[in-house]
Amino acid sequence: MYLRNHTWYVAASGPEVTRELRRIEIMGEKIVIYRTEAGAPAALEDACPHRKLPLSMGRLKGDQVECGYHGLTFDCAGTCVRVPGQSLIPAKAHIRSYPVVERYDLIWIWMGDPALADPDKILKVEHWGDPAWGYNTGPVMELDCNYLLVTDNLLDPSHVSWVHQTSFAQAACEETPLDIDIAADGVTVSRWMTDVEVAPLYQPLVPFAGNCDRLQHYEVRFPSLAVIKALFTPAGKGGRGKPVPDDAFIMESYNLMTPVNERQTRYYWFQLRNVKPDCAETSAFMSKGIKAAFDEDKAILNAVQKGLDEARNRPIDLAIDGGPLRFRRLLDKMIAAENTPPGAAGEAAE
């Protein structure tokens, strides 16, 4: 089961959605997505109600989708506006439409009750469009694993010591304890590591020489939107509660996971940084390095999913699993509450 009425999910990147009908899958639901003649995104259930042919196999006529089998035609709201050969349109000919909004070069979709689709609930990107901050991104990742394995990974900074030895890792990542903070919208794990070497990926980026104080901040919002902050200051200048010095390096990484189904996840990502905002070479360097690290995660997570599917006994938990376990427990409660009919909880209590 999934959380549907809490937040918007990423359906596609902006460039992926064109005047061509495109089939996507989210939470096991097949959806056809496209742009209107005015350029606005639109999304419909990808099945003609007549014989269930995918509408993505049909054609666009203006802003309407025509089924490729018998010509039933649907507008952007999912209303059937034409049934060839008859004037009466059956009430059951209409299909579901999904609220979609374009923001941050991404197409966001609401998978729950359309009446609750408030665009203000879309994840806020603090420094988007700020000319003092640089931007980089890369291609969407297709993972063969459940999306909760990805949130587990993002709430487990310790894994960088073994998975990302040429990019994010350093010895302090193995032993420095984690702080876990619980909020209404998610779980954050973080730690300050003091007077350590700068991790390999960040060495060309920090604007100072020598050792650093480093903050790892992994914040995962329910159900699957993560904001990861990397903060590097000269040694002695960092720490919880201290002001951020002018010569600090900050990277904010947005990691947006969309459940395709129980065994597949689409992973959209981009970073913002407070150094060299207009440097294309720096953006390319960061995209290449971070994609390489994410590919390392992909190999691990795909193998973990396969291992869990084939397991003969339950996996064990360790102290480092505190953040992921708390996140899962809280999310389970939210999903259960969303799927409990009104009055059912009280009746069960009686």
Side-chain angles (χ1 to χ4, degrees):
M1 298 178 74
Y2 303 99
L3 193 65
R4 296 175 179 272
N5 288 316
H6 183 79
T7 194
W8 296 70
Y9 294 84
V10 178
S13 65
E16 288 180 299
V17 182
T18 67
R19 288 286 293 163
E20 298 292 326
L21 296 173
R22 177 185 178 90
R23 180 180 238 205
I24 60 174
E25 181 180 356
I26 301 177
M27 300 179 182
E29 297 181 19
K30 307 302 192 298
I31 299 167
V32 58
I33 193 166
Y34 60 97
R35 289 188 186 274
T36 66
E37 291 182 318
L44 300 172
E45 174 185 353
D46 192 20
C48 178
H50 177 221
R51 290 293 183 263
K52 301 301 181 180
L53 182 78
L55 289 174
S56 54
M57 295 178 65
R59 60 194 62 84
L60 267 177
K61 290 197 167 181
D63 291 344
Q64 299 175 345
V65 180
E66 181 184 78
C67 177
Y69 196 8
H70 293 101
L72 278 72
T73 305
F74 305 86
D75 66 16
C76 296
T79 302
C80 183
V81 296
R82 179 173 182 254
V83 178
Q86 64 184 69
S87 58
L88 179 65
I89 296 178
K92 293 184 178 181
H94 308 306
I95 59 174
R96 179 180 179 182
S97 66
Y98 296 80
V100 283
V101 173
E102 188 161 13
R103 191 171 296 177
Y104 312 129
D105 291 338
L106 299 168
I107 309 299
W108 299 79
I109 189 167
W110 185 261
M111 296 297 294
D113 181 352
L116 302 176
D118 180 359
D120 285 343
K121 294 180 180 179
I122 293 175
L123 177 74
K124 302 296 190 297
V125 178
E126 182 179 359
H127 293 104
W128 183 266
D130 186 335
W133 285 69
Y135 166 86
N136 68 280
T137 188
V140 60
M141 290 200 304
E142 306 282 351
L143 304 179
D144 292 324
C145 69
N146 185 278
Y147 76 103
L148 289 175
L149 291 181
V150 189
T151 63
D152 287 350
N153 190 65
L154 293 173
L155 286 168
D156 169 29
S158 65
H159 82 272
V160 304
S161 295
W162 295 276
V163 179
H164 306 303
Q165 295 188 353
T166 62
S167 54
F168 301 144
Q170 58 193 146
C173 294
E174 297 183 21
E175 302 297 341
T176 306
L178 294 165
D179 295 318
I180 302 175
D181 297 297
I182 309 298
D185 61 349
V187 173
T188 299
V189 295
S190 62
R191 61 179 162 198
W192 274 99
M193 296 171 286
T194 58
D195 196 15
V196 297
E197 292 184 356
V198 177
L201 176 67
Y202 301 105
Q203 288 175 3
L205 303 170
V206 297
F208 56 83
N211 280 6
C212 70
D213 295 338
R214 175 186 180 185
L215 171 67
Q216 285 182 304
H217 176 103
Y218 289 66
E219 176 182 344
V220 183
R221 315 272 182 88
F222 300 119
S224 56
L225 307 175
V227 182
I228 299 174
K229 298 180 182 179
L231 170 59
F232 293 80
T233 75
K237 290 188 177 183
R240 186 176 282 246
K242 289 186 177 181
V244 177
D246 292 338
D247 54 353
F249 168 74
I250 306 171
M251 182 189 75
E252 297 177 351
S253 181
Y254 289 83
N255 303 261
L256 315 169
M257 286 70 67
T258 299
V260 175
N261 51 48
E262 288 297 316
R263 292 295 183 274
Q264 292 178 301
T265 302
R266 279 200 307 276
Y267 189 137
Y268 297 86
W269 57 276
F270 61 89
Q271 284 79 40
L272 298 168
R273 64 181 185 276
N274 72 331
V275 299
K276 301 180 180 178
D278 299 319
C279 181
E281 290 182 359
T282 299
S283 295
F285 169 80
M286 291 186 68
S287 291
K288 181 179 179 180
I290 290 169
K291 181 184 181 300
F294 285 174
D295 283 341
E296 293 170 337
D297 283 321
K298 177 178 179 177
I300 293 291
L301 294 174
N302 286 355
V304 167
Q305 181 68 69
K306 186 175 181 181
L308 291 172
D309 289 342
E310 297 174 351
R312 298 172 61 185
N313 45 49
R314 291 175 59 85
I316 65 171
D317 297 319
L318 303 174
I320 57 175
D321 299 316
L325 290 174
R326 291 189 189 186
F327 182 87
R328 283 194 181 227
R329 283 196 292 267
L330 291 168
L331 180 58
D332 284 345
K333 289 181 180 179
M334 296 173 72
I335 293 173
E338 186 176 275
N339 288 276
T340 300
E347 293 171 5
E350 294 175 4

